[in-house]
Amino acid sequence: MPSQVETPVPGVSSGPGFSITHQKLSLNIDLVARGILGHTEITINPHSSDLKHVRLHCRQTRITQVKFSPRGVVSTPYSYIDPYGLLKLPYETDAHQHHLLQDRLEKQFNHPPSPELEVAIPKTVKIQEVGSTIVLDRSGRGEVDTNDGAHVGKNISDQGSRFTSITIYIDFAVDYLRDGLHFVGWESDDLRYPHAYTQSATLSSMSCFFPCLDTIASKCTWEIAIKTPRTIGDAIRSHANVESSEHRSRAQDKLRTLSEEDKGLDLLVTCSGDLTDEIIDPKDTSKKTTSFVCSTPITPSHIGFAIGPFEVVNLTAFRETDEDDRLGKNAIALHGFCLPGRADEVRNTCLPLAKAMDFFVTNYGSYPFSSYKLCFVDEMLMNHFETASLTLCSNRILFPANVIDPMYSTTRELVFALARQWSGINITPAEPTDLWAVVGLAFFITDMFLRKLSGISEYRYQQKLASRRVCKIDVGRPSIYESGSYVPIDRSYYELIALKAPLVLFILDRRLTKASGSTGLSRTITRIFLNANVGDLPNGALSTGHFIRTCERLGHTKLDIFFNQWVYGAGYPSFIVSQKFNKKKLVVEITVSQEEKSGHLDQDIEPSDFMRKVKEDTHNIVAPPPQPSFTGPMTIRIHEADGTPYEHIVEIKDRIARLEIPYNTKYKRLKRSRRHRERVVTGAASEMAVDGQDDMLVYSLGDILQSEQEMQDWRFGEWSKEDEEKMSQESYEWVRLDADFEWICNTHISMPPWMYVSQLQQDRDVVAQYETVRWLAVQPQKHPLVPTILVRTFLDGRYFYGIRTAAIEALGEYAVLHKDDLAFFHLEKSFRELFCERGSHMVKANDFSDYPSYFIQCALSRAIAGIRDQAGRAPFLVRKFLYEMLRYNDNGENEYSDCFYVSTLMRGLADALASAPLSGTEDILMTDDGDDYDFFKACLDEIDKQRRRDEWIPTYHNILSSTALSCRYRLAKVGCITRNPVEFLQYAQQGSFEDLRIAAFDHLLDLGYGRTDAFISFFLSELSSDPSPYVRQSMLRLFWRFLGLVATGSDDASNNASTDPQETSDLVIEQEGTIEVRKAGLARKQTIPGALMALKEELGSNEGLKKAIWAAVCSQTETLPEIGDLLLICSFLYDQHTAMLVTLRYPRYWQTPQLERVPPSNAHAKPKCILRFKRGRVRTKRLAPKSTPPVQRPTGSKREGIVNGAQRPIPPIKIRQPSMASHPSPSISTPKSASQPKLKLILKNPKASSGSPPNGSQTPR
């Protein structure tokens, strides 16, 4: 495992053999026809005089001309293979010929794909070596480069060449775009505002419609000119008023659907770089050309633009006036572009961006561009797509001011998109494996801003949640260093990097801060950004080795072990800690052992991970073995008897570490009862604080509801006398491992419960409090004080709101685990105490102005919905409570939307109903009055009422309709209601909100309709023809998940088929082959080969699926990555047949109705006869061969036909087939078969043709 990685300067000594310094691009975009006429000028610097070819990336285009310069313009030949032109095989095929198409597209499925355009440099273009050159870096400084070796400048795109530059002029056209540039709203039945924008299913987007060198190492400056119609009406009239246009009918229909106001909307163009001018075409005033310049070298994949009737929102207005004065020229302008009517949502969503820009500029260096823009569009594949100085965002992340829930996640997403301008656009990874560093730095500075915006508690709480997610998913996965090269294979690797890399940098920052006493990682980041701006970072490419060296140099410490474990290595440690006090030595003996994680190989395959695991198996991606141990410094904090915390930094060097921590306080025990101190010390705490006495423990959190009456009303428990006796013997309050959050790990410390409670109540760190809450939730043994502690925690408003919601969730989990009957009482009483009228069960009107209170209300509803009895059913009181909360919910006077809260109640009610299904109209287990079919019907009506409400007054993202579908799916899954696919199909049609459509398809597949030919044909037809890339990608993931369900035997059909009557009885009979069957069942659940074999047996013979999936492969809408996924599915469903399906017509009989004799035209001419054939009936049976007797010929040398003992050759018969166009016959009536050409038979030996066949005879063809 390497400690450092040295990477060569990309594009200099290896690669294409040249570098691009500047590129001019002119695009004339036809928005209705989805076509482009373009011209580009590419200035390249050869790396040697032996350069013979220039290879560029270019897809979907039609190259019309290639020329060279500078010595005159010289035309040159080129070779170009469009990968989209290879999708259509020249013969009829089916799914068994999938390998033939895969072979044709093999180079395009490589990572990165091979260049498609190859231009030979003519001999007339000479590449000559020049003398010393001046190398300019990004700061404008210059230095003389006279080195005789391969030149390595500060920045490839800015360095002077040792060889003469060459300019390539390429004219191209795109007839129909299916990738790279997406069009929305230009169809006649689409009522959205028409617009277009750049995007791609791969990292390389711009090469989809113009020639360029689309690699992460190719950076250059840009000049871009985009010619578009001036208004929406002009764009459509350009085809509607032209008779020769093939799009005329569609344009006329679209023109009729638009109002005059919409037709007059100006089409704005926003693009990467700085706007230079906008000129109306003097020859055609309905068109205009918008020009942009990007003087900072960037890669082609970071060029983007959007065209549409956008409204412009000045986001700089949210910057305070004093900030403008303080920043001066570093006060960057920010603007938002959105479709008409969404300006208010843009202002609300992008509110923090001005502060984020100022924070980044102040703390991490100057912004690499002159302005920043965001453009919000429809149908975007990802939530955001970053380009230079422009971020294209999906309208899905916009939210109005009255919606609370997406606030934090959307803010973090947009701030991250801004941070990518520094780390991701200006700085790029040197190699794909270095992606973790670039993404991690962007997320790190994002979290630093959110720390300032939201506070330290929110920051540490979110980091702890992220750490738990890493511990959940980072099992059997490659390291974040290796995952960078796998991102093109599956996007889940990017999600792993985006989750773990910021945490790795977070713990690195903690260790650097503690080791060097400096500002931690912030100083390193500032230095890297500065080096990129002044040109000291070669080509702006950041490698892992360079990052490590910078951290070590500025942090004054060696970090080889850290990076070997957390970057080059995979996984995380799990610590099991035991502690005890040694009275003789006055030390605390602590044993820290690391648990080996080797069980991931035996885990069942999750259907949602099936696609990733299949691709891993296909590309031979093997999970590395788990690391035997993690080493490094760790902080252990011991709160001793006097309440003083003592921190001890220890070094974990082995899998088992035995530590002796000195005890600092003079030995004494906690003599007094803990309950006594909780009651007495709390009252005296304020007086002692005034007197300056701090030697007494102060319980400031969770000390509510302490009186005897309150404890009786809430049914709280107390510590037993045995527990109090044990508490009085303790020498310290509690022990905390990794107190400074320097590890990503799971930790279990064997402490008695009262120590955990002390940590929850006394430690002010939210991470310590969260760890205690999670420990209480998963207690294997039932303890009467757990509900008491958790209730006091979430009812105490002094706790951070995240700890309060975590305590509610913990109480719900504890109740389910131990079937605690008091859990519902505590949760319901808490809800009524907080959100009902005092002394009444009437719910208060909603008031979500207090955000923590809102999150508590939602968390209580979820926890109550999860309560189950001994039989696993939701008690009737739980169902009744949820029904009443939903029915009597009042949001009339609330300034905030209640859609997410109502959705929570609907889901909880549906889950509760599904846990207690009714058998017909009555249930034999029913014991509660009112728990009957009428109540069940009332619950369904209330859910349906919310769905109808969403139809009349649409909620945010139609969340109520989506939740209602999920509720009906949940109830249909367990048989509470009849499965009716029509209820879901009505929302699966185009025109519904995207997420709502995807939810409908998901539920239909889960209900088993994916096995029906009709639905799977419809599903795959929508997948292959839907114009939205987001919908297509989401449906493709659903299809993979459905295949995962079938492969692992987790779908309904497999479960029903696997039900054995013997398994339900007490008598088990072992039959022959039972062991093999069980092994096969285990293999399909835990191994990919076994799952694929089972999947092939289940679906391989389904003819409907075979036809539908191959029709999807041959679609004219899908992109190459989508087709690649479908071909991969075909490869393990169907065997390869290297064959060609040939279609032949049946033979026909030919009729010869007459023989026409043609008299000779003169005495010397030979007589002729013409046979006129006519097509007869079809022959479907094979004719039996006729047996003809042998001809007896006399022998002799002078007989006719014999010349010198050899038979005279028979003269040939020529059949002429004149074309019908050149030989018209207007005087003769043409039968139905007149389209067939007439045959003219010329007999050169009239003696041999002594007779003619009778009219009407039939001769087989």
Side-chain angles (χ1 to χ4, degrees):
M1 187 179 300
S3 61
Q4 293 182 356
V5 175
E6 298 292 340
T7 58
V9 178
V12 175
S13 60
S14 62
F18 62 91
S19 58
I20 296 178
T21 58
H22 185 71
Q23 183 164 355
K24 293 182 180 180
L25 179 64
S26 299
L27 301 175
N28 186 356
I29 301 178
D30 190 336
L31 296 169
V32 176
R34 302 189 178 191
I36 291 178
L37 289 176
H39 170 79
T40 184
E41 302 176 15
I42 305 176
T43 302
I44 68 173
N45 280 346
H47 294 164
S48 69
S49 59
D50 298 330
L51 183 65
K52 303 299 181 184
H53 297 85
V54 175
R55 294 179 176 86
L56 301 172
H57 297 91
C58 185
R59 299 183 178 184
Q60 304 182 97
T61 60
R62 184 165 42 83
I63 306 298
T64 58
Q65 191 177 50
V66 179
K67 297 180 181 179
F68 273 86
S69 180
R71 293 189 176 179
V73 179
V74 182
S75 299
T76 183
Y78 59 88
S79 63
Y80 173 60
I81 299 177
D82 180 14
Y84 283 95
L86 301 175
L87 293 177
K88 186 175 178 60
L89 294 172
Y91 37 81
E92 188 175 351
T93 56
D94 61 10
H96 290 285
Q97 280 82 48
H98 57 83
H99 61 291
L100 302 178
L101 191 55
Q102 281 179 318
D103 293 341
R104 291 166 68 95
L105 300 174
E106 180 180 4
K107 293 183 178 180
Q108 298 303 319
F109 292 148
N110 294 337
H111 307 291
S114 303
E116 298 85 8
L117 175 62
E118 181 176 318
V119 180
I121 299 179
K123 295 181 179 180
T124 55
V125 177
K126 303 297 183 180
I127 302 177
Q128 299 177 349
E129 186 174 0
V130 296
S132 61
T133 58
I134 300 296
V135 180
L136 297 178
D137 57 26
R138 296 190 178 190
S139 64
R141 300 177 304 175
E143 61 182 35
V144 179
D145 182 9
T146 57
N147 185 12
D148 293 335
H151 61 281
V152 181
K154 297 294 183 182
N155 189 288
I156 291 177
S157 59
D158 291 326
Q159 58 182 310
S161 172
R162 285 185 170 274
F163 302 92
T164 53
S165 299
I166 300 175
T167 303
I168 306 176
Y169 299 84
I170 303 177
D171 295 331
F172 60 92
V174 182
D175 298 324
Y176 185 82
L177 281 159
R178 57 193 290 181
D179 192 11
L181 188 60
H182 186 58
F183 300 83
V184 180
W186 297 99
E187 301 296 331
S188 57
D189 57 347
D190 196 338
L191 301 181
R192 292 172 294 183
Y193 287 102
H195 58 285
Y197 57 92
T198 54
Q199 78 163 6
S200 175
T202 61
L203 295 178
S204 301
S205 62
M206 301 306 287
S207 63
C208 291
F209 58 87
F210 73 83
C212 60
L213 185 60
D214 209 349
T215 63
I216 59 175
S218 176
K219 294 184 178 182
C220 66
T221 55
W222 294 81
E223 293 181 41
I224 303 173
I226 302 175
K227 188 175 183 179
T228 61
R230 192 170 53 85
T231 64
I232 293 178
D234 292 336
I236 300 176
R237 279 190 290 266
S238 64
H239 285 274
N241 299 335
V242 179
E243 294 184 1
S244 60
S245 175
E246 61 182 12
H247 305 282
R248 183 185 182 189
S249 175
R250 182 163 58 91
Q252 289 176 342
D253 293 341
K254 181 65 178 179
L255 205 59
R256 283 190 289 267
T257 62
L258 295 176
S259 64
E260 293 300 324
E261 182 181 358
D262 292 341
K263 294 176 186 176
L265 290 175
D266 288 335
L267 290 175
L268 299 182
V269 180
T270 178
C271 179
S272 302
D274 301 326
L275 175 66
T276 57
D277 53 38
E278 185 178 83
I279 303 174
I280 302 297
D281 192 344
K283 298 181 180 180
D284 185 0
T285 57
S286 66
K287 294 183 178 295
K288 64 178 180 180
T289 301
T290 311
S291 301
F292 300 86
V293 172
C294 187
S295 57
T296 302
I298 56 175
T299 63
S301 59
H302 293 149
I303 291 290
F305 60 86
I307 307 167
F310 299 122
E311 295 180 359
V312 182
V313 180
N314 183 15
L315 301 177
T316 314
F318 295 109
R319 179 182 291 133
E320 298 179 1
T321 307
D322 56 344
E323 288 294 320
D324 274 327
D325 299 335
R326 183 178 63 85
L327 294 172
K329 64 178 182 180
N330 288 328
I332 306 300
L334 294 90
H335 292 88
F337 294 79
C338 64
L339 296 174
R342 312 205 70 164
D344 290 338
E345 291 179 292
V346 170
R347 292 187 184 94
N348 180 73
T349 306
C350 302
L351 180 65
L353 287 185
K355 289 183 177 294
M357 174 68 79
D358 299 343
F359 177 83
F360 292 154
V361 170
T362 303
N363 293 275
Y364 301 110
S366 61
Y367 180 63
F369 306 100
S370 60
S371 64
Y372 182 64
K373 306 173 288 289
L374 298 100
C375 185
F376 293 87
V377 293
D378 288 329
E379 292 187 356
M380 195 164 180
L381 178 61
M382 298 173 287
N383 284 344
H384 57 85
F385 176 65
E386 307 92 3
T387 66
S389 73
L390 169 68
T391 298
L392 297 170
C393 303
S394 172
N395 280 328
R396 294 187 300 271
I397 66 176
L398 288 176
F399 64 96
N402 64 341
V403 175
I404 300 174
D405 293 69
M407 185 182 302
Y408 183 87
S409 59
T410 302
T411 299
R412 187 172 190 261
E413 195 163 6
L414 289 179
V415 175
F416 169 74
L418 174 60
R420 288 277 289 175
Q421 299 296 316
W422 280 268
S423 181
I425 307 295
N426 190 43
I427 294 178
T428 54
E431 297 293 337
T433 50
D434 301 319
L435 180 65
W436 78 270
V438 174
V439 174
L441 288 178
F443 270 115
F444 182 82
I445 64 177
T446 297
D447 292 337
M448 288 294 101
F449 168 73
L450 293 178
R451 173 182 176 178
K452 177 183 178 182
L453 184 69
S454 305
I456 186 66
S457 294
E458 179 74 33
Y459 171 68
R460 291 180 63 85
Y461 176 70
Q462 294 295 336
Q463 295 295 324
K464 185 59 182 179
L465 294 182
S467 177
R468 288 195 68 216
R469 289 194 295 269
V470 167
C471 295
K472 182 178 180 181
I473 69 172
D474 191 14
V475 178
R477 304 291 295 273
S479 65
I480 57 175
Y481 178 79
E482 295 175 344
S483 296
S485 59
Y486 304 144
V487 168
I489 297 175
D490 189 77
R491 190 165 177 80
S492 63
Y493 294 102
Y494 177 84
E495 295 171 357
L496 174 64
I497 293 174
L499 179 62
K500 187 174 181 180
L503 276 176
V504 171
L505 295 183
F506 168 75
I507 63 175
L508 174 63
D509 175 67
R510 303 295 301 168
R511 295 194 183 184
L512 287 176
T513 303
K514 183 173 293 186
S516 61
S518 64
T519 56
L521 195 59
S522 297
R523 185 183 176 191
T524 303
I525 297 173
T526 303
R527 177 63 61 87
I528 291 174
F529 290 170
L530 178 62
N531 291 343
N533 288 334
V534 301
D536 291 337
L537 190 64
N539 201 31
L542 178 64
S543 66
T544 303
H546 180 86
F547 180 73
I548 294 174
R549 289 191 297 271
T550 306
C551 291
E552 290 179 342
R553 184 171 64 252
L554 299 180
H556 308 290
T557 183
K558 281 293 184 181
L559 298 170
D560 292 351
I561 297 177
F562 178 87
F563 281 92
N564 283 338
Q565 294 178 154
W566 297 104
V567 176
Y568 298 112
Y572 60 91
S574 294
F575 294 115
I576 300 177
V577 183
S578 61
Q579 51 79 33
K580 68 175 181 178
F581 181 70
N582 191 320
K583 302 177 184 178
K584 295 182 179 180
K585 296 182 179 181
L586 286 180
V587 296
V588 181
E589 297 177 345
I590 298 178
T591 303
V592 181
S593 59
Q594 299 185 37
E595 183 182 10
E596 293 187 5
K597 301 179 295 299
S598 58
H600 67 272
L601 298 177
D602 299 329
Q603 290 182 349
D604 290 348
I605 299 173
E606 292 292 334
S608 57
D609 295 335
F610 182 69
M611 174 175 66
R612 174 179 60 83
K613 289 183 177 293
V614 168
K615 292 182 178 180
E616 288 177 347
D617 184 73
T618 304
H619 293 85
N620 297 320
I621 301 175
V622 181
Q627 300 184 52
S629 63
F630 284 75
T631 61
M634 178 179 289
T635 301
I636 297 178
R637 181 181 297 164
I638 300 178
H639 287 252
E640 298 188 3
D642 60 350
T644 304
Y646 292 92
E647 291 189 353
H648 308 271
I649 301 177
V650 299
E651 190 74 23
I652 304 297
K653 299 180 179 180
D654 205 349
R655 195 173 69 86
I656 299 177
R658 292 179 173 85
L659 311 170
E660 292 185 352
I661 308 299
Y663 190 76
N664 296 280
T665 307
K666 184 178 179 180
Y667 176 65
K668 62 179 180 180
R669 294 176 180 173
L670 304 179
K671 295 293 185 181
R672 289 175 296 171
S673 166
R674 181 177 299 265
R675 280 288 302 150
H676 177 74
R677 284 185 287 120
E678 288 178 355
R679 293 174 180 175
V680 177
V681 177
T682 302
S686 57
E687 299 178 4
M688 295 184 61
V690 173
D691 296 337
Q693 303 176 18
D694 54 359
D695 59 340
M696 184 174 290
L697 300 177
V698 178
Y699 291 74
S700 61
L701 297 176
D703 57 354
I704 61 174
L705 305 178
Q706 297 278 357
S707 66
E708 296 293 341
Q709 184 62 40
E710 288 173 334
M711 294 184 63
Q712 292 180 5
D713 294 341
W714 285 88
R715 303 181 189 176
F716 284 165
E718 294 190 70
W719 295 104
S720 64
K721 293 183 178 180
E722 293 80 3
D723 291 337
E724 290 189 358
E725 180 65 25
K726 293 178 181 179
M727 281 188 280
S728 65
Q729 302 299 318
E730 297 292 351
S731 301
Y732 46 86
E733 291 288 335
W734 73 90
V735 177
R736 186 180 171 201
L737 198 72
D738 188 24
D740 283 345
F741 202 168
E742 302 170 78
W743 293 72
I744 305 171
C745 61
N746 279 331
T747 305
H748 176 74
I749 306 178
S750 58
M751 291 192 304
W754 49 83
M755 288 191 176
Y756 276 104
V757 175
S758 296
Q759 177 175 302
L760 176 63
Q761 294 179 343
Q762 297 182 43
D763 202 321
R764 299 296 181 138
D765 185 9
V766 294
V767 175
Q769 297 169 1
Y770 184 80
E771 290 173 348
T772 301
V773 169
R774 293 309 310 165
W775 180 85
L776 293 172
V778 296
Q779 279 302 294
Q781 295 181 353
K782 190 174 181 179
H783 196 286
L785 270 177
V786 170
T788 301
I789 297 166
L790 291 175
V791 171
R792 284 175 172 163
T793 299
F794 68 72
L795 287 180
D796 191 346
R798 294 168 296 179
Y799 277 104
F800 176 66
Y801 83 94
I803 302 302
R804 298 176 66 189
T805 56
I808 295 173
E809 295 172 1
L811 181 57
E813 294 179 28
Y814 177 84
V816 173
L817 181 63
H818 299 287
K819 302 297 185 290
D820 191 353
D821 298 333
L822 285 177
F824 174 68
F825 168 79
H826 287 139
L827 291 171
E828 183 191 27
K829 186 174 179 60
S830 300
F831 189 94
R832 299 196 185 281
E833 185 75 18
L834 296 173
F835 306 109
C836 291
E837 299 291 346
R838 185 173 298 276
S840 171
H841 286 184
M842 181 60 65
V843 183
K844 296 178 182 177
N846 292 334
D847 182 10
F848 298 156
S849 57
D850 183 11
Y851 290 176
S853 177
Y854 164 72
F855 291 124
I856 296 297
Q857 188 171 354
C858 293
L860 280 171
S861 302
R862 286 192 296 268
I864 291 174
I867 298 297
R868 298 293 183 267
D869 58 15
Q870 297 292 336
R873 297 158 48 100
F876 175 67
L877 291 178
V878 170
R879 288 173 277 152
K880 183 179 179 181
F881 173 84
L882 294 171
Y883 169 71
E884 291 177 350
M885 294 301 104
L886 181 60
R887 181 180 181 183
Y888 299 113
N889 176 64
D890 182 9
N891 203 61
E893 299 180 359
N894 190 12
E895 61 177 329
Y896 294 95
S897 171
D898 66 341
C899 59
F900 281 94
Y901 173 62
V902 173
S903 173
T904 301
L905 293 175
M906 292 170 64
R907 292 181 187 275
L909 180 58
D911 289 341
L913 292 174
S915 69
L918 296 173
S919 302
T921 58
E922 50 183 336
D923 195 329
I924 58 175
L925 299 178
M926 181 177 57
T927 58
D928 299 286
D929 294 336
D931 187 7
D932 52 17
Y933 182 76
D934 291 338
F935 173 76
F936 179 78
K937 184 67 168 56
C939 294
L940 289 183
D941 291 343
E942 192 61 35
I943 293 174
D944 194 58
K945 169 187 169 184
Q946 300 298 332
R947 179 188 60 81
R948 293 194 304 271
R949 166 195 165 190
D950 192 35
E951 293 178 354
W952 285 101
I953 307 176
T955 55
Y956 176 74
H957 286 188
N958 293 119
I959 186 173
L960 293 186
S961 295
S962 179
T963 305
L965 280 185
S966 300
C967 293
R968 298 199 72 86
Y969 153 75
R970 182 76 178 88
L971 295 172
K973 186 80 172 176
V974 297
C976 290
I977 60 175
T978 304
R979 300 186 179 188
N980 185 5
V982 178
E983 296 178 349
F984 302 93
L985 284 173
Q986 62 180 338
Y987 293 101
Q989 307 296 324
Q990 293 188 17
S992 300
F993 182 68
E994 293 173 336
D995 290 337
L996 185 59
R997 295 185 61 202
I998 295 166
F1001 280 120
D1002 187 19
H1003 299 327
L1004 286 168
L1005 288 173
D1006 274 359
L1007 289 174
Y1009 292 102
R1011 289 178 176 265
T1012 62
D1013 292 348
F1015 175 74
I1016 201 64
S1017 299
F1018 169 69
F1019 177 84
L1020 290 173
S1021 174
E1022 289 292 304
L1023 185 153
S1024 61
S1025 62
D1026 197 283
S1028 171
Y1030 174 73
V1031 173
R1032 291 200 306 270
Q1033 278 287 344
S1034 300
M1035 293 182 67
L1036 188 58
R1037 285 195 295 269
L1038 293 181
F1039 188 50
W1040 274 104
R1041 182 176 175 273
F1042 165 71
L1043 296 177
L1045 288 171
V1046 177
T1048 58
S1050 304
D1051 63 328
D1052 286 350
S1054 301
N1055 290 333
N1056 295 336
S1058 63
T1059 302
D1060 191 349
Q1062 296 179 4
E1063 296 178 358
T1064 60
S1065 63
D1066 296 333
L1067 178 63
V1068 178
I1069 302 176
E1070 293 289 343
Q1071 298 179 352
E1072 185 178 357
T1074 302
I1075 298 178
E1076 286 73 12
V1077 172
R1078 290 181 177 177
K1079 285 183 178 180
L1082 189 64
R1084 73 183 297 182
K1085 289 182 177 296
Q1086 296 183 353
T1087 65
I1088 288 298
L1092 293 180
M1093 184 180 299
L1095 180 64
K1096 188 174 182 178
E1097 293 177 358
E1098 295 273 355
L1099 300 179
S1101 59
N1102 189 326
E1103 292 295 329
L1105 175 62
K1106 183 189 299 183
K1107 294 179 180 178
I1109 197 172
W1110 193 246
V1113 170
C1114 300
S1115 168
Q1116 300 297 316
T1117 304
E1118 290 177 310
T1119 60
L1120 283 177
E1122 295 165 353
I1123 293 174
D1125 274 4
L1126 293 176
L1127 288 175
L1128 178 60
I1129 294 173
C1130 292
S1131 66
F1132 56 74
L1133 278 180
Y1134 310 110
D1135 295 329
Q1136 298 181 6
H1137 290 173
T1138 307
M1140 180 175 64
L1141 185 62
V1142 180
T1143 303
L1144 298 176
R1145 294 183 179 182
Y1146 283 116
R1148 289 180 175 270
Y1149 290 96
W1150 287 94
Q1151 296 180 355
T1152 56
Q1154 60 183 355
L1155 176 63
E1156 180 181 350
R1157 296 182 181 275
V1158 180
S1161 57
N1162 51 54
H1164 301 285
K1166 297 180 179 180
K1168 299 179 181 179
C1169 62
I1170 298 178
L1171 284 175
R1172 300 188 183 277
F1173 290 90
K1174 185 174 69 174
R1175 295 180 66 184
R1177 60 186 176 86
V1178 176
R1179 177 168 65 85
T1180 59
K1181 294 182 180 180
R1182 182 178 180 182
L1183 295 178
K1186 296 181 180 180
S1187 59
T1188 56
V1191 179
Q1192 299 293 333
R1193 294 182 181 276
T1195 61
S1197 59
K1198 296 184 178 179
R1199 289 181 176 85
E1200 183 179 6
I1202 303 297
V1203 179
N1204 297 328
Q1207 186 174 359
R1208 180 183 299 169
I1210 299 176
I1213 300 177
K1214 295 183 179 180
I1215 300 179
R1216 295 180 181 176
Q1217 184 175 347
S1219 62
M1220 297 298 295
S1222 60
H1223 295 79
S1225 180
S1227 60
I1228 302 176
S1229 60
T1230 305
K1232 284 187 176 181
S1233 60
S1235 60
Q1236 297 295 327
K1238 300 178 182 179
L1239 302 180
K1240 182 182 290 186
L1241 181 63
I1242 301 177
L1243 304 179
K1244 287 196 173 183
N1245 188 2
K1247 294 182 180 180
S1249 58
S1250 58
S1252 61
N1255 295 342
S1257 64
Q1258 297 185 352
T1259 304
R1261 184 181 179 182

